[in-house]
Amino acid sequence: MASASDSKKRLALAIIDFLSTSLKDGTLTSEDAESIEVAQSCIADTFHVDPSDKAAMQDAIGGQSLLSIYGVYEKLKGKSSGSAAATSSTSGAGSSTSGAAKAGNTDPSQGGTGAEAEAFKSKGNSAMAAKDYKSAIELYSKALNLSPLNPIYLSNRAAAYSASHQHAEASTDAEMAVAANPKYTKAWSRLGLARFAMGDAKGSMEAYQKGIEFEGNGGSDAMKRGYETAKKRVEEEKDATHEDEADDVESARGGAGGPGGMPDLSSLAGMFGGGGGGAGGGGGMPDLSALAGMMGGGGRGGGRGGMPDLSSIMSNPMFANMAQNLMSNPDMMNNLMSNPRLRQMAERFGGGGGGGAAAEGEGGGGGGGGVPDIASLMQDPSIAEMISAGAKSKVKSSVQRAIRTKIIETYPLLAPHIDELIPKKSQLDLLKLPDRVTLYALDNQPLFWQHMDDPIIPHLRVVHAFPKCFSSLGIDRGAIRFVLSGATLMAPGLTSTGGRLPDEDAQLKEGDVAVVEAEGKEEACLVGQLRMGTEEVKEKKKGVVIDMGHYLGDGLWNMTID
């Protein structure tokens, strides 16, 4: 056992290290350097220690720093009285085991464990295996009441906190665990995961690096994967601050007309603008009057329908792409206007309503107008082909880095799998879908979709590949057929017998993304953004929970990308 003199020498070395670090990290200025050097020299001479002895310094601070050790002490100060009271209470109840823990655990950093504490830990492990994270946290906490600085109990509770998305608490427990015993490498791994989930990629990388060092022999595969994932995030964050000029130049090219750019808007206006339009001369554009009528304007006599705002039409990428395809392929226009389904919709929504004229193809007096049902349109193969043709574009490298970052921020548990999902050297494709939905695909496989500025949402195939990486709810058997028919998910399907909501310490709020699993089924059937927090769902037991989701068998599930 180390003598008191040895302990004081190690403390002296830790103080010297703290002073040196404070100069390097900017806590102290260069003007203080001379005073600090004098102080370090005095401490070294007085305690007969050598700060240049790396082995002695390593033995003194154990891969930690005086500041981090003191930080753990500060975090424990508020917990000490509660732990002591719990121990006293248990002892007073006649438990000889807890009494032994109280009296015999003279060095809590060594984690002196009694049978009762071990029993709580074992029950906590069973709760973790059953994904009952709330109970696991409670059980590990009971073990820690008996052994406050046991690194194993702290590390296990950190894992439970991470699983329930309480990453700040996980980080605190993991920090205390590595301070208590830096050689317990699981705690370093859990600290790395917690920091990564909190957006501290550099801190995460440092934690995994410490774990590798203490494991020895280059570290375990799991620790190295964590380190590489964090390192890549650090590199991506550095790269993201420098936009690729070539990418910016390319994005600017689309503004002008000409080869590869958007069609000339003046020509487009003439295409949609109205007049009765003849039959198009030899080699010219086909008759566009019917399409103008569909859009609400002119054949003859424009009436109240009028031409819709061209800028608003062209702001929709789907229609912009549609127009470009039509202008570059006159045969497509002829085929389009001979399509009875679209002619019927043109009569109903665009130029119809003014008596029999619309039925006779005159363009008519344009009634109130309306918006075509895009979902219905997409069921027609020829129309779907026209809208989707050429809609795929490559994602800029800087944007792809940002997408990877956003995915990990939204779904931290996907972090270890991000390179498998979207390899760094890969090239994402972007597709604009109706209703301002953006789809991201890789090698013609849909991965994620996003509605405007809402959270990015995984395709169900991604959910099925990594089911433990997403927050989930459960619906009862009776709700399955409604969900799979595209109906809005309502609260009763989650609150009735067979449904499932998260535990109290893992509640989801309005706007969070949730995966919906079905009673008796293994794979998720729906993923979408919550319109109501789970606490409110539990309280009200009624109302809309998900109204715009991606479900098994829908168009996104069956979509093919060429």
Side-chain angles (χ1 to χ4, degrees), residues 23-40:
L23 276 176
K24 295 175 182 177
D25 65 13
T27 303
L28 302 176
T29 66
S30 57
E31 297 175 356
D32 301 316
E34 185 175 349
S35 299
I36 293 300
E37 289 174 3
V38 171
Q40 290 174 317

Side-chain angles (χ1 to χ4, degrees), residues 34-87:
E34 185 175 349
S35 299
I36 293 300
E37 289 174 3
V38 171
Q40 290 174 317
S41 178
C42 289
I43 294 171
D45 291 343
T46 303
F47 286 89
H48 306 290
V49 294
D50 180 7
S52 64
D53 186 341
K54 293 183 179 179
M57 188 65 77
Q58 175 66 23
D59 181 57
I61 60 178
Q64 298 289 302
S65 69
L66 188 62
L67 181 61
S68 65
I69 294 170
Y70 185 75
V72 171
Y73 163 72
E74 286 188 316
K75 291 173 182 175
L76 283 173
K77 279 197 302 184
K79 300 181 179 182
S80 298
S81 59
S83 298
T87 305

Side-chain angles (χ1 to χ4, degrees), residues 98-180:
S98 62
K102 179 182 177 183
N105 187 15
T106 56
D107 186 0
S109 68
Q110 297 302 312
T113 58
E116 189 174 358
E118 279 294 297
F120 283 130
K121 183 200 78 169
S122 296
K123 291 178 181 178
N125 292 348
S126 297
M128 282 290 289
K131 299 184 180 180
D132 185 359
Y133 305 126
K134 179 182 178 183
S135 295
I137 291 168
E138 293 174 352
L139 289 162
Y140 292 139
S141 297
K142 289 179 180 180
L144 284 163
N145 283 339
L146 300 174
S147 185
L149 272 184
N150 185 299
I152 297 175
Y153 303 164
L154 286 165
S155 178
N156 286 9
R157 191 170 68 174
Y161 275 133
S162 286
S164 58
H165 306 290
Q166 300 180 67
H167 302 298
E169 290 82 355
S171 177
T172 297
D173 273 3
E175 285 174 1
M176 290 193 288
V178 298

